[in-house]
Amino acid sequence: MAYQKVNADQRAPGHSQYLDNDDLQATALDLEWDMEKELEEPGFDQFQLDSAENQNLGHSETTDLNLDSIQPATSPKGRFQRLQEESDYISHYTRSAPKSNRCNFCHLLKILCTAIIVFIFGILIGYYIHTNCPSDSPSSGTVDHQLYQEILKTIQAEDIKKSFRMKGSTLDEWCGLMKLRNLVQLYKSEDDMEVSKKIKTQWTSLGLEDVQFVNYSVLLNLPGLSPSTVTLSSSGECFHPDGQPCSEEARKESSQDLLYSYAAYSAKGTLKAEVIDVSYGMADDLKRIRKMKNVTNRIALLKLGKLPLLYKLSLLEKAGFGGVLLYIDPCDLPKTVNPSHDIFMVPLNPGGDPSTPGYPSVDGSFRQSQSNLTSLLVQPISASLVAKLISSPKARTKNDVCSPLQLPNNEIRVVSLQVQTVTKLKTVTNVVGYVMGLTSPDRYIIVGSHHHTAHSYNGQEWASSTAIITAFIRALMPKVKRGWRPDRTIVFCSWGGTAFGNIGSYEWGEDFKTVLQKNVVAYINLHSPIRGNSTLRPVASPSLQQLVVEKNNFNCTRRTQCPETNISSIQIQGDADYFINHLGVPSVQFAYEDIKTLEGPSFLSEALFSTQSTTVEEMDPFFKLHETITKKTVQLSGEVILQIANEPVLPFNALDIALEVQNNLKGDQPNTHQLLAMASRLRESAELFQSDEMRPANDPKERAPIRIRMLNDILQDMEKSFLVQQVPPGFYRNILYHLDERTGQFSILVEAWEHCKPLATDETLQEALSKVLNSINSAHVYFKAGLDVFKSVLDGKN
């Protein structure tokens, strides 16, 4: 890295268990200096040479990585190197005339004995200093890479399989638990406590420190006693969400999954109305439809995708619709996927416990009476039911050209929609453990995945997340047990309540908000890391993108094929949401995707499918695919985690944020001249900050701990300037993130431009422009203030 020498100097005092005393260190260095002066006297060239050779030998013997005593260099330029650079140095030593041969012999003998003693003592001192604080230690990149490779070697398919099933190799690992059952058999239990106990027990057995349950009593919206129904008024036919008839025989034959096809926190009741096809629910679609029909209290037939569901529902609610039939068009999925009868669940919760919005669900908190978060009756249905509603037998034609599902404009469909849900207070459990940092224990890198929640979805996807984070812990802890520790604290979290709107992570974040705002450095997201087996798709904050590219390229150099890293800052699903949008924490996620899925509309992943529990093991019975993908995921995630945890200067890039802002303002968008001018000033201040404060540090003042701490504090909080208070529902408050990879502008500006077409002076647009302008200006002021503080320190001012 560009600031590797800074890193080396700052780590020496904190990592040496013997040289913490400044006086002792100074004494040792002065002694070494005196020895050098003696050895440089005329007549002792041979001893100087021998000493140098011994020092070189001592160093070569320690080139093998010793993880128990990894110590960086104390200085970018050691004492011997500085002496060599003084080319004009001349010794003024003059030898006196010999008095006699006997005297000369005695004098030489005394000097020889003294030199030998000093020589031996010098070797011992040099070896002592070299062992505890080596001046020529391997570069941090080499040490880190060797450490990561050792961690990687320990990940085996059998360990992943055990983590996936949560089975220990011995009964002692699960002492006190009930008879062991496969995790995947628990995915529809009434609460997550049993799975949480297994995770806690395993993490504790691996050596993770202070593993705890963090429980919150929250309001969950669960399925009713019977499935929701859709009845055609013209024929009186009644259907379940999967398209099967409502007869008792059909219900008995079908799975209990019918209960889990619902929209959490939807309004409940019955509505009989005309169905109006609104396609994807875009602003243009609604404008066109409202000119043609009265949409008040009608039922919208809505496709999932292209925009966040919460945003589209807000538009439908504002337009006056009373209900929504939500589905996924088969044409938006790969040909190998047949979702005709698949049913799914969607959460309508923007995040956290709906009864305690903005504050944690702890004892004594006031609870608001919110059983639903929208006035719309929302019901997810299968593509086969949509085909029956529009009288279309299939979505694909004989020549395999896909025809999107669409209700003919000249036909009217009237249905009766019945939505049933129940609201209950339930306990959501988070499992939290950590590895305490050595030099900066009050700075946290949070590594998060999620585990099973009551009536969980996406089949075994949550089990894969748990298996991967556990595999990483299993690989890391042997190093910790042998004495190695990161500089900053690594916090491992397995969240509960994710399927209902990231409830566990939101409540924990709200509970510890004051601490987290000050101390969290980064969030590493391991949510759903295996969604396919064809391509790696990293998502990262702008400040972390360069680090991700470097790590991916570094791990790709030994392979014959190294695909280009396709990295972006887009909205992602999962528990990183709170940390990105409320704390402004830099975040990164590595996930494997199916390339065909990526070609479809964005936001299809908002649908949570209830699949068969054997899917993953049928696809990968020997867990070799999981082993390969997990190794790659752990390799990249682990290297990012450890580098952020270990680098004295955080590996964040200030200039990349300014470049991202400028890229977001490209194009022929109206009213952006002020934004472009402010973005130019932001880039100038970021360039100055990066060149002046993040350059290789050779100035001893710059290597002072207070300067490094100041620099890290600025790097840690860079993205907080881009948090805005109000955004459209479903949009990120951190405006550095895009809606999808196809949208290259600020999302709130894109929405405002679409909303107020063809007007250019609409208040909505002006408000959005003001939010972006204020964010850019805030970041500019932030970097400029940082430069001023450093300048004051250099000038000796307060």
Short mmCIF file of all heavy atoms in Angstrom, two decimals, residues 481-531:
data_model
loop_
_atom_site.label_atom_id
_atom_site.label_comp_id
_atom_site.label_asym_id
_atom_site.label_seq_id
_atom_site.Cartn_x
_atom_site.Cartn_y
_atom_site.Cartn_z
N LYS A 481 -5.43 -18.41 19.10
CA LYS A 481 -5.03 -19.22 20.24
C LYS A 481 -3.52 -19.29 20.39
O LYS A 481 -3.01 -19.50 21.49
CB LYS A 481 -5.62 -20.63 20.10
CG LYS A 481 -7.14 -20.68 20.25
CD LYS A 481 -7.68 -22.09 20.03
CE LYS A 481 -9.19 -22.12 20.16
NZ LYS A 481 -9.74 -23.47 19.91
N ARG A 482 -2.79 -19.12 19.27
CA ARG A 482 -1.33 -19.14 19.32
C ARG A 482 -0.73 -17.76 19.56
O ARG A 482 0.48 -17.59 19.47
CB ARG A 482 -0.77 -19.75 18.02
CG ARG A 482 -1.06 -21.23 17.88
CD ARG A 482 -0.09 -21.89 16.92
NE ARG A 482 -0.20 -21.38 15.57
CZ ARG A 482 -0.98 -21.91 14.63
NH1 ARG A 482 -1.73 -22.97 14.92
NH2 ARG A 482 -1.00 -21.39 13.42
N GLY A 483 -1.59 -16.78 19.85
CA GLY A 483 -1.08 -15.48 20.27
C GLY A 483 -1.28 -14.35 19.29
O GLY A 483 -1.08 -13.18 19.65
N TRP A 484 -1.66 -14.65 18.05
CA TRP A 484 -1.87 -13.57 17.09
C TRP A 484 -3.20 -12.88 17.36
O TRP A 484 -4.17 -13.51 17.75
CB TRP A 484 -1.89 -14.13 15.67
CG TRP A 484 -2.23 -13.09 14.64
CD1 TRP A 484 -1.37 -12.25 14.01
CD2 TRP A 484 -3.54 -12.77 14.14
NE1 TRP A 484 -2.04 -11.43 13.13
CE2 TRP A 484 -3.38 -11.72 13.20
CE3 TRP A 484 -4.82 -13.25 14.40
CZ2 TRP A 484 -4.46 -11.16 12.52
CZ3 TRP A 484 -5.89 -12.69 13.72
CH2 TRP A 484 -5.70 -11.67 12.79
N ARG A 485 -3.21 -11.56 17.16
CA ARG A 485 -4.45 -10.80 17.30
C ARG A 485 -4.47 -9.68 16.26
O ARG A 485 -3.42 -9.12 15.93
CB ARG A 485 -4.60 -10.19 18.69
CG ARG A 485 -5.08 -11.20 19.73
CD ARG A 485 -5.48 -10.54 21.02
NE ARG A 485 -5.96 -11.53 21.95
CZ ARG A 485 -7.23 -11.95 21.99
NH1 ARG A 485 -8.11 -11.43 21.17
NH2 ARG A 485 -7.60 -12.86 22.85
N PRO A 486 -5.67 -9.34 15.78
CA PRO A 486 -5.77 -8.18 14.90
C PRO A 486 -5.58 -6.90 15.70
O PRO A 486 -5.72 -6.89 16.93
CB PRO A 486 -7.19 -8.28 14.34
CG PRO A 486 -7.95 -8.99 15.41
CD PRO A 486 -6.98 -9.97 16.02
N ASP A 487 -5.26 -5.83 15.01
CA ASP A 487 -5.12 -4.54 15.71
C ASP A 487 -6.47 -4.03 16.19
O ASP A 487 -6.59 -3.46 17.27
CB ASP A 487 -4.48 -3.50 14.78
CG ASP A 487 -2.99 -3.73 14.63
OD1 ASP A 487 -2.46 -4.62 15.31
OD2 ASP A 487 -2.36 -3.02 13.82
N ARG A 488 -7.50 -4.21 15.35
CA ARG A 488 -8.85 -3.75 15.70
C ARG A 488 -9.73 -4.97 16.00
O ARG A 488 -9.47 -6.07 15.55
CB ARG A 488 -9.44 -2.93 14.55
CG ARG A 488 -8.60 -1.70 14.21
CD ARG A 488 -9.17 -0.92 13.03
NE ARG A 488 -8.30 0.21 12.72
CZ ARG A 488 -7.28 0.16 11.87
NH1 ARG A 488 -7.01 -0.97 11.23
NH2 ARG A 488 -6.53 1.22 11.65
N THR A 489 -10.78 -4.73 16.74
CA THR A 489 -11.67 -5.82 17.16
C THR A 489 -12.55 -6.26 15.99
O THR A 489 -13.12 -5.44 15.27
CB THR A 489 -12.56 -5.35 18.32
OG1 THR A 489 -11.72 -5.03 19.44
CG2 THR A 489 -13.55 -6.43 18.73
N ILE A 490 -12.65 -7.58 15.81
CA ILE A 490 -13.54 -8.16 14.80
C ILE A 490 -14.76 -8.71 15.52
O ILE A 490 -14.64 -9.56 16.40
CB ILE A 490 -12.85 -9.27 14.00
CG1 ILE A 490 -11.56 -8.75 13.35
CG2 ILE A 490 -13.79 -9.83 12.93
CD1 ILE A 490 -10.76 -9.82 12.62
N VAL A 491 -15.94 -8.22 15.17
CA VAL A 491 -17.19 -8.63 15.80
C VAL A 491 -17.95 -9.51 14.82
O VAL A 491 -18.26 -9.08 13.70
CB VAL A 491 -18.05 -7.42 16.20
CG1 VAL A 491 -19.31 -7.87 16.91
CG2 VAL A 491 -17.25 -6.46 17.08
N PHE A 492 -18.26 -10.74 15.22
CA PHE A 492 -19.02 -11.67 14.39
C PHE A 492 -20.47 -11.68 14.86
O PHE A 492 -20.74 -11.86 16.05
CB PHE A 492 -18.44 -13.08 14.48
CG PHE A 492 -17.05 -13.19 13.90
CD1 PHE A 492 -15.93 -13.07 14.71
CD2 PHE A 492 -16.87 -13.41 12.54
CE1 PHE A 492 -14.66 -13.16 14.18
CE2 PHE A 492 -15.60 -13.51 12.00
CZ PHE A 492 -14.49 -13.39 12.82
N CYS A 493 -21.39 -11.50 13.92
CA CYS A 493 -22.81 -11.41 14.26
C CYS A 493 -23.62 -12.33 13.36
O CYS A 493 -23.46 -12.33 12.13
CB CYS A 493 -23.33 -9.98 14.09
SG CYS A 493 -22.43 -8.74 15.04
N SER A 494 -24.50 -13.11 13.97
CA SER A 494 -25.49 -13.88 13.23
C SER A 494 -26.85 -13.31 13.60
O SER A 494 -27.30 -13.42 14.75
CB SER A 494 -25.41 -15.37 13.59
OG SER A 494 -26.31 -16.12 12.81
N TRP A 495 -27.50 -12.68 12.63
CA TRP A 495 -28.71 -11.90 12.90
C TRP A 495 -29.96 -12.76 12.81
O TRP A 495 -30.06 -13.65 11.98
CB TRP A 495 -28.83 -10.75 11.91
CG TRP A 495 -27.63 -9.87 11.77
CD1 TRP A 495 -26.81 -9.74 10.68
CD2 TRP A 495 -27.09 -8.99 12.77
NE1 TRP A 495 -25.81 -8.84 10.93
CE2 TRP A 495 -25.96 -8.36 12.20
CE3 TRP A 495 -27.46 -8.68 14.07
CZ2 TRP A 495 -25.19 -7.44 12.91
CZ3 TRP A 495 -26.69 -7.76 14.77
CH2 TRP A 495 -25.58 -7.15 14.19
N GLY A 496 -30.95 -12.42 13.63
CA GLY A 496 -32.27 -13.02 13.54
C GLY A 496 -33.26 -12.02 12.94
O GLY A 496 -33.01 -10.82 12.91
N GLY A 497 -34.39 -12.52 12.47
CA GLY A 497 -35.45 -11.65 11.98
C GLY A 497 -35.18 -10.99 10.65
O GLY A 497 -35.86 -10.03 10.29
N THR A 498 -34.22 -11.49 9.87
CA THR A 498 -33.87 -10.87 8.60
C THR A 498 -35.03 -10.90 7.61
O THR A 498 -35.27 -9.92 6.89
CB THR A 498 -32.64 -11.56 8.00
OG1 THR A 498 -31.53 -11.41 8.90
CG2 THR A 498 -32.27 -10.96 6.65
N ALA A 499 -35.76 -12.00 7.55
CA ALA A 499 -36.82 -12.16 6.56
C ALA A 499 -37.97 -11.18 6.77
O ALA A 499 -38.75 -10.95 5.84
CB ALA A 499 -37.36 -13.59 6.59
N PHE A 500 -38.08 -10.58 7.95
CA PHE A 500 -39.19 -9.68 8.24
C PHE A 500 -38.80 -8.21 8.16
O PHE A 500 -39.56 -7.35 8.58
CB PHE A 500 -39.75 -9.98 9.63
CG PHE A 500 -40.37 -11.35 9.74
CD1 PHE A 500 -39.63 -12.42 10.18
CD2 PHE A 500 -41.70 -11.55 9.39
CE1 PHE A 500 -40.19 -13.69 10.26
CE2 PHE A 500 -42.27 -12.81 9.47
CZ PHE A 500 -41.51 -13.88 9.90
N GLY A 501 -37.63 -7.94 7.59
CA GLY A 501 -37.19 -6.57 7.44
C GLY A 501 -35.95 -6.28 8.26
O GLY A 501 -35.86 -5.21 8.88
N ASN A 502 -34.98 -7.22 8.25
CA ASN A 502 -33.71 -7.02 8.95
C ASN A 502 -33.91 -6.56 10.40
O ASN A 502 -33.23 -5.64 10.88
CB ASN A 502 -32.85 -6.00 8.20
CG ASN A 502 -32.68 -6.34 6.73
OD1 ASN A 502 -32.45 -7.50 6.38
ND2 ASN A 502 -32.78 -5.36 5.86
N ILE A 503 -34.81 -7.22 11.08
CA ILE A 503 -35.21 -6.75 12.40
C ILE A 503 -34.08 -6.89 13.42
O ILE A 503 -33.80 -5.97 14.19
CB ILE A 503 -36.48 -7.50 12.87
CG1 ILE A 503 -37.68 -7.05 12.04
CG2 ILE A 503 -36.74 -7.24 14.35
CD1 ILE A 503 -38.99 -7.69 12.44
N GLY A 504 -33.42 -8.05 13.45
CA GLY A 504 -32.38 -8.27 14.45
C GLY A 504 -31.25 -7.27 14.35
O GLY A 504 -30.81 -6.70 15.36
N SER A 505 -30.75 -7.03 13.14
CA SER A 505 -29.63 -6.10 12.98
C SER A 505 -30.06 -4.66 13.26
O SER A 505 -29.31 -3.88 13.83
CB SER A 505 -29.06 -6.21 11.56
OG SER A 505 -30.07 -5.99 10.59
N TYR A 506 -31.28 -4.30 12.85
CA TYR A 506 -31.77 -2.94 13.13
C TYR A 506 -31.89 -2.69 14.62
O TYR A 506 -31.49 -1.64 15.14
CB TYR A 506 -33.12 -2.73 12.45
CG TYR A 506 -33.06 -1.92 11.19
CD1 TYR A 506 -32.59 -2.47 10.00
CD2 TYR A 506 -33.46 -0.58 11.15
CE1 TYR A 506 -32.53 -1.74 8.83
CE2 TYR A 506 -33.40 0.16 9.99
CZ TYR A 506 -32.94 -0.42 8.84
OH TYR A 506 -32.88 0.31 7.68
N GLU A 507 -32.47 -3.65 15.34
CA GLU A 507 -32.66 -3.46 16.79
C GLU A 507 -31.32 -3.37 17.51
O GLU A 507 -31.15 -2.55 18.41
CB GLU A 507 -33.51 -4.60 17.36
CG GLU A 507 -34.94 -4.61 16.84
CD GLU A 507 -35.65 -3.29 17.04
OE1 GLU A 507 -35.70 -2.80 18.19
OE2 GLU A 507 -36.11 -2.71 16.04
N TRP A 508 -30.39 -4.22 17.11
CA TRP A 508 -29.05 -4.18 17.72
C TRP A 508 -28.37 -2.85 17.39
O TRP A 508 -27.73 -2.25 18.26
CB TRP A 508 -28.23 -5.35 17.21
CG TRP A 508 -26.92 -5.57 17.91
CD1 TRP A 508 -26.73 -6.14 19.13
CD2 TRP A 508 -25.62 -5.21 17.43
NE1 TRP A 508 -25.38 -6.18 19.43
CE2 TRP A 508 -24.68 -5.61 18.40
CE3 TRP A 508 -25.15 -4.60 16.26
CZ2 TRP A 508 -23.31 -5.43 18.25
CZ3 TRP A 508 -23.79 -4.40 16.10
CH2 TRP A 508 -22.88 -4.81 17.09
N GLY A 509 -28.50 -2.41 16.14
CA GLY A 509 -27.91 -1.14 15.75
C GLY A 509 -28.52 0.03 16.49
O GLY A 509 -27.80 0.94 16.94
N GLU A 510 -29.84 0.02 16.65
CA GLU A 510 -30.50 1.10 17.40
C GLU A 510 -30.15 1.05 18.87
O GLU A 510 -30.02 2.09 19.54
CB GLU A 510 -32.01 1.00 17.20
CG GLU A 510 -32.47 1.34 15.79
CD GLU A 510 -33.93 0.99 15.55
OE1 GLU A 510 -34.53 0.30 16.40
OE2 GLU A 510 -34.47 1.39 14.50
N ASP A 511 -29.96 -0.17 19.40
CA ASP A 511 -29.62 -0.34 20.81
C ASP A 511 -28.24 0.23 21.13
O ASP A 511 -28.03 0.86 22.17
CB ASP A 511 -29.69 -1.83 21.15
CG ASP A 511 -29.79 -2.09 22.64
OD1 ASP A 511 -29.84 -1.12 23.42
OD2 ASP A 511 -29.82 -3.27 23.03
N PHE A 512 -27.28 0.01 20.23
CA PHE A 512 -25.90 0.43 20.47
C PHE A 512 -25.48 1.55 19.52
O PHE A 512 -24.30 1.70 19.21
CB PHE A 512 -24.96 -0.77 20.31
CG PHE A 512 -25.22 -1.88 21.28
CD1 PHE A 512 -26.02 -2.96 20.93
CD2 PHE A 512 -24.68 -1.85 22.56
CE1 PHE A 512 -26.27 -3.99 21.82
CE2 PHE A 512 -24.93 -2.87 23.46
CZ PHE A 512 -25.72 -3.94 23.10
N LYS A 513 -26.42 2.35 19.10
CA LYS A 513 -26.16 3.36 18.07
C LYS A 513 -25.06 4.32 18.45
O LYS A 513 -24.17 4.64 17.64
CB LYS A 513 -27.45 4.12 17.76
CG LYS A 513 -27.30 5.13 16.63
CD LYS A 513 -28.63 5.79 16.30
CE LYS A 513 -28.48 6.76 15.14
NZ LYS A 513 -29.78 7.39 14.78
N THR A 514 -25.08 4.81 19.67
CA THR A 514 -24.08 5.80 20.10
C THR A 514 -22.68 5.23 20.02
O THR A 514 -21.74 5.90 19.54
CB THR A 514 -24.37 6.27 21.54
OG1 THR A 514 -25.71 6.79 21.60
CG2 THR A 514 -23.39 7.34 21.96
N VAL A 515 -22.50 4.00 20.45
CA VAL A 515 -21.18 3.36 20.40
C VAL A 515 -20.79 3.07 18.96
O VAL A 515 -19.65 3.33 18.54
CB VAL A 515 -21.19 2.06 21.23
CG1 VAL A 515 -19.86 1.33 21.11
CG2 VAL A 515 -21.50 2.36 22.68
N LEU A 516 -21.72 2.54 18.18
CA LEU A 516 -21.42 2.15 16.81
C LEU A 516 -21.09 3.34 15.93
O LEU A 516 -20.22 3.26 15.06
CB LEU A 516 -22.58 1.36 16.22
CG LEU A 516 -22.94 0.05 16.94
CD1 LEU A 516 -24.17 -0.58 16.31
CD2 LEU A 516 -21.77 -0.92 16.90
N GLN A 517 -21.78 4.46 16.12
CA GLN A 517 -21.51 5.64 15.31
C GLN A 517 -20.06 6.08 15.43
O GLN A 517 -19.46 6.56 14.47
CB GLN A 517 -22.43 6.79 15.72
CG GLN A 517 -23.82 6.71 15.15
CD GLN A 517 -24.70 7.86 15.60
OE1 GLN A 517 -24.59 8.34 16.73
NE2 GLN A 517 -25.57 8.33 14.72
N LYS A 518 -19.50 5.91 16.61
CA LYS A 518 -18.13 6.36 16.87
C LYS A 518 -17.10 5.32 16.51
O LYS A 518 -15.99 5.66 16.07
CB LYS A 518 -18.01 6.74 18.35
CG LYS A 518 -16.62 7.20 18.76
CD LYS A 518 -16.57 7.52 20.24
CE LYS A 518 -15.17 7.93 20.68
NZ LYS A 518 -15.10 8.20 22.13
N ASN A 519 -17.43 4.03 16.67
CA ASN A 519 -16.39 3.01 16.67
C ASN A 519 -16.40 2.04 15.49
O ASN A 519 -15.39 1.37 15.27
CB ASN A 519 -16.49 2.18 17.97
CG ASN A 519 -16.21 3.02 19.19
OD1 ASN A 519 -15.58 4.06 19.11
ND2 ASN A 519 -16.70 2.57 20.34
N VAL A 520 -17.50 1.91 14.75
CA VAL A 520 -17.52 0.93 13.66
C VAL A 520 -16.71 1.45 12.48
O VAL A 520 -16.92 2.57 12.00
CB VAL A 520 -18.95 0.60 13.22
CG1 VAL A 520 -18.92 -0.32 12.00
CG2 VAL A 520 -19.70 -0.08 14.35
N VAL A 521 -15.80 0.64 12.00
CA VAL A 521 -14.92 1.00 10.89
C VAL A 521 -15.48 0.51 9.57
O VAL A 521 -15.47 1.23 8.57
CB VAL A 521 -13.51 0.42 11.12
CG1 VAL A 521 -12.65 0.57 9.89
CG2 VAL A 521 -12.86 1.08 12.33
N ALA A 522 -15.99 -0.72 9.54
CA ALA A 522 -16.50 -1.30 8.29
C ALA A 522 -17.45 -2.44 8.61
O ALA A 522 -17.42 -3.01 9.71
CB ALA A 522 -15.35 -1.81 7.41
N TYR A 523 -18.31 -2.75 7.63
CA TYR A 523 -19.23 -3.88 7.75
C TYR A 523 -18.98 -4.83 6.58
O TYR A 523 -19.05 -4.41 5.41
CB TYR A 523 -20.69 -3.41 7.74
CG TYR A 523 -21.68 -4.54 7.99
CD1 TYR A 523 -22.11 -4.84 9.27
CD2 TYR A 523 -22.18 -5.31 6.93
CE1 TYR A 523 -23.00 -5.88 9.52
CE2 TYR A 523 -23.07 -6.35 7.16
CZ TYR A 523 -23.48 -6.63 8.46
OH TYR A 523 -24.36 -7.65 8.69
N ILE A 524 -18.68 -6.10 6.88
CA ILE A 524 -18.46 -7.12 5.86
C ILE A 524 -19.70 -7.99 5.84
O ILE A 524 -20.02 -8.66 6.82
CB ILE A 524 -17.21 -7.97 6.16
CG1 ILE A 524 -16.02 -7.06 6.52
CG2 ILE A 524 -16.90 -8.86 4.97
CD1 ILE A 524 -15.65 -6.06 5.47
N ASN A 525 -20.40 -7.99 4.72
CA ASN A 525 -21.71 -8.64 4.61
C ASN A 525 -21.56 -10.03 4.01
O ASN A 525 -21.10 -10.18 2.87
CB ASN A 525 -22.63 -7.78 3.73
CG ASN A 525 -24.07 -8.25 3.79
OD1 ASN A 525 -24.52 -8.74 4.82
ND2 ASN A 525 -24.79 -8.08 2.70
N LEU A 526 -21.94 -11.05 4.77
CA LEU A 526 -21.94 -12.43 4.27
C LEU A 526 -23.36 -12.94 4.08
O LEU A 526 -23.61 -14.14 4.18
CB LEU A 526 -21.18 -13.34 5.25
CG LEU A 526 -19.68 -13.05 5.40
CD1 LEU A 526 -19.05 -14.01 6.40
CD2 LEU A 526 -18.98 -13.13 4.06
N HIS A 527 -24.27 -12.03 3.76
CA HIS A 527 -25.65 -12.40 3.53
C HIS A 527 -25.77 -13.10 2.18
O HIS A 527 -25.37 -12.57 1.15
CB HIS A 527 -26.53 -11.15 3.53
CG HIS A 527 -27.97 -11.41 3.22
ND1 HIS A 527 -28.88 -11.75 4.19
CD2 HIS A 527 -28.67 -11.39 2.06
CE1 HIS A 527 -30.07 -11.93 3.65
NE2 HIS A 527 -29.96 -11.71 2.35
N SER A 528 -26.31 -14.31 2.16
CA SER A 528 -26.54 -15.08 0.93
C SER A 528 -25.32 -15.08 0.02
O SER A 528 -25.38 -14.60 -1.11
CB SER A 528 -27.75 -14.52 0.17
OG SER A 528 -28.88 -14.46 0.99
N PRO A 529 -24.19 -15.60 0.47
CA PRO A 529 -22.99 -15.55 -0.36
C PRO A 529 -23.01 -16.50 -1.55
O PRO A 529 -22.23 -16.34 -2.47
CB PRO A 529 -21.88 -15.92 0.62
CG PRO A 529 -22.56 -16.75 1.65
CD PRO A 529 -23.95 -16.23 1.78
N ILE A 530 -23.90 -17.49 -1.53
CA ILE A 530 -23.96 -18.45 -2.64
C ILE A 530 -25.37 -18.42 -3.23
O ILE A 530 -26.30 -19.02 -2.71
CB ILE A 530 -23.61 -19.87 -2.16
CG1 ILE A 530 -22.21 -19.89 -1.53
CG2 ILE A 530 -23.67 -20.85 -3.32
CD1 ILE A 530 -21.81 -21.22 -0.96
N ARG A 531 -25.52 -17.69 -4.33
CA ARG A 531 -26.80 -17.58 -5.02
C ARG A 531 -26.73 -18.22 -6.40
O ARG A 531 -27.71 -18.24 -7.13
CB ARG A 531 -27.18 -16.11 -5.16
CG ARG A 531 -27.18 -15.37 -3.83
CD ARG A 531 -27.21 -13.88 -4.02
NE ARG A 531 -26.88 -13.18 -2.78
CZ ARG A 531 -26.66 -11.88 -2.69
NH1 ARG A 531 -26.75 -11.13 -3.77
NH2 ARG A 531 -26.35 -11.34 -1.55
#
